Amino acid sequence: MNETTGHVGLMDLHNLSSISGNGTTGILDIPKPINTAINILTITILLITMISLGCTMEISKIRAHLLKPKGVAIALVAQFCIMPLTAFSLAKILQLHPVKAITVLICGCCPGGSLSNIFSLIVKGDMNLSIVMTTCSSIAALGLMPLLLYIFSQGFTGLENAVPYVGIITALISTLVPCAIGILINHYKPNYSAAVTQAGLIILTLSTIIVSVLSGIVVKDVIWMIFMPDVVSVAVLMPLIGFTLGYVMSVICRLSPKCSRTISMETGCQNIQLCIAILKVTFSPQVIGPMFLFPLLYIMFQCAEALLLALCFRLYHKVKTPAGDTGSHKHVAVTQEEVKEP
């Protein structure tokens, strides 16, 4: 994603930039070396995340779910219908500024993220379905994400030709290649998978810290703009609506509670690393302003809400199980007393 292909739609984007000059989104003047460093580290984070994700996948399990695709199909519909529609609806209802709207739309149209696998484990979901769903949504996004962005951007004045399709497709391809590398490592050299994942986690942590520090330095004067009520409202509501409607849709389609919880987590969790890479690399700093940090705000509420839902599930499961056990014990005790009677 170079300067030529990355900063696309220049006329439309500069128009948006001139609109943003009123202080709604802020205009950044990032020194080129720092901007380049943030871009490289952002892409590095994305690549490492996808390699680590690939190392958790097994070809046999992927094949098994693809042969019985009901759960995957429902999850894909939930991912690429509920979240984009939610993003579009919130942007319209809250009358977001065009730059904020395109940011929210890109976040809503992103495929599922790797965090959904962790949350699926916490809520005792179907881990195989979760991992396969993350893989399938990443592949499907190659065609669906540009299509959905084209459709929904038509509803906003000034965004019709401002979506960086080339940069988005390039970013999506760049996620599939490392994911495939991770799958191959896990398939042919499974003993190395754990080491690759651990090394990736260390590099990922260091890169994230550096990016956070550099980003904090360059946006320190306008960071407050991503904490405006409309932006915070979207960050709070989007994942919550995704978790809720993903579960409701799965129940309506008569999937098991285990699969329903999994699809709920998959629907609400977006690929934040991909979203940041697209916003930071394909838009110029003068256009996107501090809004490239919106995914970080989103992931804060995404994690908080997912953990809250997981806590509610755990408490419900803990309360329900002893009650069932007590009832069964009482029934056994009564039966034994009846047997002892002459």
Side-chain angles (χ1 to χ4, degrees), residues 301-323:
F301 289 104
Q302 170 186 285
C303 291
E305 291 166 8
L307 290 173
L308 181 61
L309 290 172
L311 178 62
C312 292
F313 165 73
R314 290 280 183 162
L315 290 174
Y316 170 77
H317 191 264
K318 187 175 182 180
V319 170
K320 182 182 176 182
T321 304

Side-chain angles (χ1 to χ4, degrees), residues 8 92 102 114 131 142 162 188 293 316:
V8 294
K92 277 293 186 182
I102 193 64
S114 56
I131 294 170
L142 192 58
Y188 291 105
L293 294 176
Y316 170 77

